[in-house]
Amino acid sequence: FRNQDLTVEETTPDSFDGIDLVLSSAGGSVSKKFLPEAVKRGAVCVDNTSAFRMEEDVPLMHLLQYSPHLQH
């Protein structure tokens, strides 16, 4: 990427240590497996799957709802 070698590693629960924000779109089963662990370790997670869509304790964000608050 941009003339740099990047290391790709397998995701494990320890992958989220020290992570503040997770942007996820790896599929519902992957989200269900790893995002609760990321949250438990202190990360805020934004998931692009339907994995948590019907969970009452998970807020649903819609871009148009928040767009007045976004800055460029």
Side-chain angles (χ1 to χ4, degrees):
F1 178 77
R2 295 188 178 180
N3 296 321
Q4 282 187 299
D5 290 335
L6 299 176
T7 302
V8 177
E9 299 178 359
E10 179 181 1
T11 302
T12 67
D14 291 337
S15 300
F16 301 102
D17 285 341
I19 301 298
D20 296 320
L21 177 63
V22 176
L23 303 176
S24 176
S25 188
S29 63
V30 174
S31 292
K32 284 281 195 180
K33 181 177 180 179
F34 288 110
L35 293 188
E37 188 64 38
V39 169
K40 186 166 74 172
R41 293 170 186 247
V44 172
C45 299
V46 178
D47 185 41
N48 194 39
T49 73
S50 62
F52 302 99
R53 198 161 286 159
M54 300 306 289
E55 302 279 335
E56 288 188 22
D57 61 336
V58 177
L60 179 63
M61 290 181 55
H62 189 277
L63 180 60
L64 295 177
Q65 178 182 359
Y66 293 97
S67 61
H69 306 287
L70 300 176
Q71 295 181 359
H72 297 278

